[in-house]
Amino acid sequence: MREKVALIVDKYKRRKLLTVYLSGGLGGLGLFGAGDLAANIFSKSPALFAPLFITFALTTAILFAFSYVGYEWQETLLLREFPKEDDRWLTERVWKPPARTEICYRAGFIFLGATGTCLLFAAWWPYLPTFLEVMQRI
């Protein structure tokens, strides 16, 4: 039983680290999106891309923050009870992280992809007519 607790705590630690790493990547993407290069990109693309990028980036940050806090709290609950000799406290509720934590964790990946995709579409938007013209020739 103790081994199972250690595995779950390890899983929560990995998930927390991954959310930190992905948040760092989001920060880099945000800096790129806020820099001079992206300002030029957003000025050449439809006005919708800049607010969409900001919305996706902020939503991603919030989702990763909620998932980090959820895993941290669940890990704290497990470690707080871990020293007890009586294993009856190990209920099914303790094994699973809150549903909101898992939803935020998975949705964070989706919104991170949407943030990058938004920036990619904004960058390629001015070249879309040329690209389509070339593709029609092929």
Side-chain angles (χ1 to χ4, degrees), residues 99-116:
R100 183 182 73 192
T101 301
E102 281 294 316
I103 290 169
C104 289
Y105 180 74
R106 293 165 196 249
F109 282 100
I110 294 167
F111 275 91
L112 183 61
T115 304

Side-chain angles (χ1 to χ4, degrees), residues 5 21 112 117:
V5 172
Y21 297 150
L112 183 61
T117 302

Side-chain angles (χ1 to χ4, degrees), residues 48-62 111 114-115 118:
L48 177 66
F49 283 117
L52 203 57
F53 175 80
I54 292 168
T55 302
F56 286 156
L58 289 176
T59 303
T60 305
I62 290 167
F111 275 91
T115 304
C118 181

Side-chain angles (χ1 to χ4, degrees), residues 63-138:
L63 288 169
F64 282 147
F66 275 132
S67 65
Y68 181 89
V69 169
Y71 288 124
E72 178 69 33
W73 179 243
Q74 197 66 15
E75 179 185 343
T76 301
L77 290 177
L78 280 171
L79 291 176
R80 197 180 283 167
E81 299 293 331
F82 188 70
K84 293 185 178 177
E85 295 301 320
D86 183 11
D87 286 341
R88 286 181 291 172
W89 64 272
L90 294 171
T91 63
E92 186 67 26
R93 181 189 62 78
V94 176
W95 294 119
K96 295 181 180 177
R100 183 182 73 192
T101 301
E102 281 294 316
I103 290 169
C104 289
Y105 180 74
R106 293 165 196 249
F109 282 100
I110 294 167
F111 275 91
L112 183 61
T115 304
T117 302
C118 181
L119 190 59
L120 185 67
F121 272 106
W124 279 97
W125 191 266
Y127 306 104
L128 190 60
T130 307
F131 175 74
L132 292 175
E133 183 180 310
V134 169
M135 292 306 289
Q136 285 178 348
R137 290 183 197 164
I138 295 179

